[in-house]
Amino acid sequence: MENRRKFIKKAGIISGILALNPLKAIEILANKSSKIRKPVVLSTWNFGLQSNEIAWKILSKNGKSLDAVEAGVQLCEGDPNERSVGLGGRPDRDGHVTLDACIMDEMGNIGSVACLEHIVHPISVARAVMEKTPHVMLVGEGALEFALSQGFKKENLLTEDSRKEWQEWLKTSEYKPIVNVENHDTIGMIALDEFGNLSGACTTSGMAFKMHGRVGDSPIIGAELYVDNEIGAATATGQGEEVIRTCGTHLVVELMRQGKTPQEACEEAVKRIYKLIILRKKNPKDLQIGFIALNKNGETGAFCLQKGFNYAIHDAKENKLIDSPYLI
Ligand code: ASP
């Protein structure tokens, strides 16, 4: 009875507001009546902290999660001191800085670029692929031609520091991913906005000194990034070959669909990867894999293969860096 009275009272107030200000009433109905934690944004590694700040500026003003994740990761792409993403990213073994990126919104729109050279913001080229072409992925020369046609500038991404490091590497030419020390790493960012919509973006220069033409998981939807607006979103970092093998982030989102929390889903996905590493008689200590996930209620989770992965969460309370729990 009490509940019924409350309901009638609330309905009366809302219909009053509806008559005076329909937009306000819709906003109240959509946003204010639930316990959902939003907006919220999370992203991989230390560099996620500053990138979250940029994303938060958009999210806190009722901006769209898609705009927030694009702007957030752009910061990292443009920073020459972040040596595993965008400008200043480490080159492949032939000295080319080749970039991978993808983006996904709440409608299932996707765009991606792979092995793209000379463009500081591959994430924005990925968004242009999504919004302005009938395709979802462009690679190499074709991706560059498209970027130039859209007004992106051709630039030299190989900074002096990265060039010196590559020349040093050429002395041994031993390809060996090094875990947790930025010899690779991706910024992956997922966000839930005030309207309850999820989006994600990720961008990287991939594994340092990789073979020319190597593409990792970062431009592959379902591998390093997946968003399902009914369920949640996930992004990954680490050895891309392993994440592709398990369709990692699609797996995380599907596990959430089956009822797992974001934390449980990330843990299960890392365990699956671990099993395949052991099956193939590889040493798991040579690899790092990290997942972060976010569901429709704004609940988050993270898990990685071994100690050393961290991620940043920004919500209405704070922006903080968290050490991820790990398997081995
Ligand atoms: N996943 C990226 C790649 O394999 C690298 C990373 O995130 O560490 O290219």
Side-chain angles (χ1 to χ4, degrees):
M1 196 61 182
E2 183 58 17
N3 280 347
R4 195 162 170 259
R5 266 198 219 111
K6 271 190 192 154
F7 174 78
I8 292 169
K9 193 173 163 202
K10 202 168 166 189
I13 294 169
I14 288 174
S15 52
I17 299 173
L18 190 57
L20 292 169
N21 186 345
L23 278 179
K24 190 79 199 156
I26 289 165
E27 193 186 310
I28 289 169
L29 281 171
N31 299 323
K32 307 294 180 205
S33 58
S34 69
K35 289 202 176 67
I36 296 171
R37 177 210 207 181
K38 60 184 181 179
V40 57
V41 55
L42 55 161
S43 51
T44 53
W45 301 107
N46 292 350
F47 41 48
L49 267 183
Q50 294 122 296
S51 291
N52 278 1
E53 293 290 348
I54 303 293
W56 188 256
K57 279 190 190 148
I58 296 173
L59 292 170
S60 59
K61 290 186 192 117
N62 288 346
K64 287 177 61 180
S65 55
L66 182 68
D67 296 328
V69 294
E70 181 190 11
V73 304
Q74 268 182 350
L75 180 80
C76 216
E77 289 180 332
D79 183 345
N81 298 316
E82 297 303 355
R83 310 278 302 287
S84 59
V85 179
L87 175 67
R90 292 188 179 84
D92 63 22
R93 65 186 191 183
D94 300 333
H96 301 269
V97 180
T98 65
L99 306 175
D100 294 340
C102 73
I103 193 158
M104 184 163 191
D105 75 5
E106 80 277 7
M107 306 287 289
N109 292 309
I110 55 176
S112 106
V113 287
C115 209
L116 172 65
E117 292 185 59
H118 306 300
I119 302 291
V120 176
H121 293 302
I123 197 65
S124 301
V125 185
R127 183 166 176 175
V129 170
M130 174 171 101
E131 291 176 343
K132 298 185 177 158
T133 79
H135 308 304
V136 297
M137 186 180 216
L138 292 177
V139 306
E141 275 298 312
L144 177 60
E145 269 168 35
F146 169 70
L148 298 177
S149 78
Q150 295 300 305
F152 290 87
K153 281 208 191 73
K154 188 169 179 177
E155 294 184 44
N156 174 24
L157 304 182
L158 187 63
T159 55
E160 202 39 36
D161 284 345
S162 285
R163 196 184 57 78
K164 277 192 193 139
E165 211 182 305
W166 167 59
Q167 282 178 336
E168 199 48 43
W169 176 83
L170 281 175
K171 291 179 186 162
T172 56
S173 296
E174 191 198 356
Y175 175 72
K176 190 169 181 355
I178 307 172
V179 297
N180 297 331
V181 292
E182 239 219 45
N183 152 287
H184 51 94
D185 287 349
T186 303
I187 180 149
M189 179 178 271
I190 45 183
L192 179 67
D193 64 26
E194 191 61 34
F195 307 100
N197 288 325
L198 291 157
S199 298
C202 57
T203 175
T204 189
S205 50
M207 311 306 284
F209 319 128
K210 60 196 173 183
M211 289 173 70
H212 183 56
R214 181 263 187 188
V215 169
D217 54 339
S218 308
I220 301 179
I221 295 293
E224 195 163 278
L225 176 71
Y226 198 69
V227 175
D228 182 324
N229 208 41
E230 284 181 5
I231 307 295
T235 187
T237 183
Q239 187 76 38
E241 284 76 4
E242 302 303 318
V243 178
I244 294 172
R245 208 182 306 283
T246 47
C247 305
T249 55
H250 186 259
L251 175 62
V252 171
V253 172
E254 287 307 301
L255 288 165
M256 291 195 281
R257 190 191 308 279
Q258 289 164 21
K260 294 212 185 303
T261 64
Q263 183 59 38
E264 290 166 346
C266 291
E267 288 179 18
E268 174 67 24
V270 171
K271 283 179 193 158
R272 296 257 188 113
I273 290 179
Y274 176 76
K275 266 193 209 162
L276 288 181
I277 294 171
I278 298 299
L279 188 68
R280 287 160 37 249
K281 299 190 172 34
K282 306 274 177 202
N283 183 358
K285 280 285 179 189
D286 290 342
L287 306 171
Q288 178 61 298
I289 306 290
F291 288 104
I292 57 176
L294 168 66
N295 70 13
K296 280 292 276 183
N297 293 330
E299 294 157 342
T300 60
F303 202 63
C304 62
L305 188 60
Q306 57 177 308
K307 193 173 179 189
F309 168 55
N310 55 14
Y311 64 105
I313 301 189
H314 201 324
D315 63 8
K317 230 171 65 196
E318 60 189 338
N319 186 20
K320 65 175 176 196
L321 199 61
I322 300 173
D323 287 328
S324 165
Y326 50 91
L327 184 67
I328 53 172

